């Protein structure tokens, strides 16, 4: 009598020596799993329930743990268990590799030792703030209305609008050229309004409220 058992007894996926959680949790009757990691490679170990069954991954016998590289995003692995009597059951494993963003170095020399140094560098790395130059940030400087609008739009992930020349403000000529697209988007999304007299006062500094 030849066994037709093509089930798995164990399926283990490890990264850096640590087991990754499978979704759903491993069960003998489940044939499709997902997991995720930030590692560049993983080790897959699939043990059949029947010692006489064999496991194949990418056309190669899977004996013990096999280390495989990962690319960013979804990595799909299909492997099969062949029972003693020839019955084959196919399993599917999808491993999502999280993309690790490159950290942009914070090169502002005038924030060293400042109480907000870590927060400034974090905001810079996320593209929320930009200094006056690669080395000058002015951490204690005042913030204008257009600068604050720019930071707020970047925080919200809203793209800049077009550099419209017909912005509905009587003092639109005072808007810096770099900020015209930002102001256009801020007005479009309701982030920034003008004053009752029709002015925007783009270079006016903001208060705490």
């Amino acid at each position: 009598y030849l066994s037709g058992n093509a089930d798995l007894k164990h399926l283990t996926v490890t990264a850096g020596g640590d087991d990754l959680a499978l979704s759903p949790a491993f069960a003998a009757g489940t044939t499709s799993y997902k997991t995720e990691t930030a590692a560049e490679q993983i080790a897959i170990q699939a043990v059949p329930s029947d010692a006489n069954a064999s496991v194949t991954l990418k056309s190669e016998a899977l004996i013990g743990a096999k280390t495989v590289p990962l690319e960013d995003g979804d990595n799909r692995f299909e492997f099969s268990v062949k029972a003693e009597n020839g019955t084959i059951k196919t399993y599917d494993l999808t491993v999502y590799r999280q993309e690790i963003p490159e950290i942009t170095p914070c090169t502002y020399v005038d924030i060293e030792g400042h109480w907000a140094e870590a927060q400034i560098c974090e905001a810079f790395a996320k593209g929320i703030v930009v200094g006056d130059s690669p080395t000058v940030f002015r951490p204690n400087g005042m913030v204008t209305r257009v600068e604050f609008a720019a930071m707020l739009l970047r925080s919200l992930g809203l793209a800049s609008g077009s550099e419209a020349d017909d912005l509905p403000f009587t003092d639109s000529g005072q808007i810096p050229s770099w900020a015209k697209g930002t102001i256009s988007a801020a007005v479009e999304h309701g982030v920034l309004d003008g004053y009752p007299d029709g002015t925007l006062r783009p270079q006016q500094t903001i208060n705490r409220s």
Side-chain angles (χ1 to χ4, degrees):
Y1 172 76
L2 298 179
S3 173
N5 187 344
D7 291 336
L8 283 178
K9 182 179 181 181
H10 296 295
L11 174 61
T12 307
V13 183
T14 60
D18 297 323
D19 289 351
L20 300 181
L22 298 177
S23 178
F26 177 78
T30 304
T31 58
S32 183
Y33 299 93
K34 292 183 178 181
T35 189
E36 61 181 40
T37 181
E40 295 182 353
Q41 62 182 23
I42 57 169
I44 302 174
Q45 185 173 24
V47 179
S49 296
D50 185 349
N52 293 320
S54 59
V55 182
T56 302
L57 173 64
K58 292 186 176 181
S59 302
E60 296 181 3
L62 181 58
I63 302 174
K66 181 177 179 62
T67 300
V68 292
L70 297 177
E71 297 180 353
D72 289 341
D74 285 337
N75 296 259
R76 186 181 176 190
F77 302 95
E78 186 176 280
F79 52 97
S80 59
V81 178
K82 185 176 182 179
E84 189 179 18
N85 70 352
T87 299
I88 296 177
K89 181 180 288 189
T90 302
Y91 292 81
D92 181 81
L93 170 66
T94 300
V95 181
Y96 177 78
R97 185 184 180 223
Q98 306 154 354
E99 297 183 28
I100 305 300
E102 294 184 7
I103 303 300
T104 303
C106 192
T107 56
Y108 302 124
V109 297
D110 60 347
I111 66 172
E112 294 181 4
H114 193 275
W115 65 265
E117 179 179 359
Q119 289 82 2
I120 291 169
C121 287
E122 181 181 0
F124 170 70
K126 293 180 177 179
I128 296 172
V129 298
V130 180
D132 290 354
S133 76
T135 58
V136 176
F137 184 79
R138 288 190 302 116
N140 295 320
M142 302 294 286
V143 177
T144 66
R145 282 165 54 79
V146 293
E147 289 172 338
F148 185 74
M151 289 188 287
L152 186 56
L153 259 66
R154 293 168 188 157
S155 299
L156 296 172
L158 299 176
S160 294
S162 59
E163 294 187 8
D165 295 328
D166 57 349
L167 287 168
F169 306 111
T170 58
D171 58 350
S172 59
Q174 298 178 23
I175 300 173
S177 57
W178 68 265
K180 288 187 177 180
T182 298
I183 296 304
S184 176
V187 172
E188 178 184 349
H189 292 288
V191 172
L192 188 64
D193 292 323
Y195 289 89
D197 63 359
T199 62
L200 176 66
R201 306 175 197 175
Q203 301 292 6
Q204 178 174 297
T205 56
I206 63 170
N207 56 32
R208 288 173 62 87
S209 63

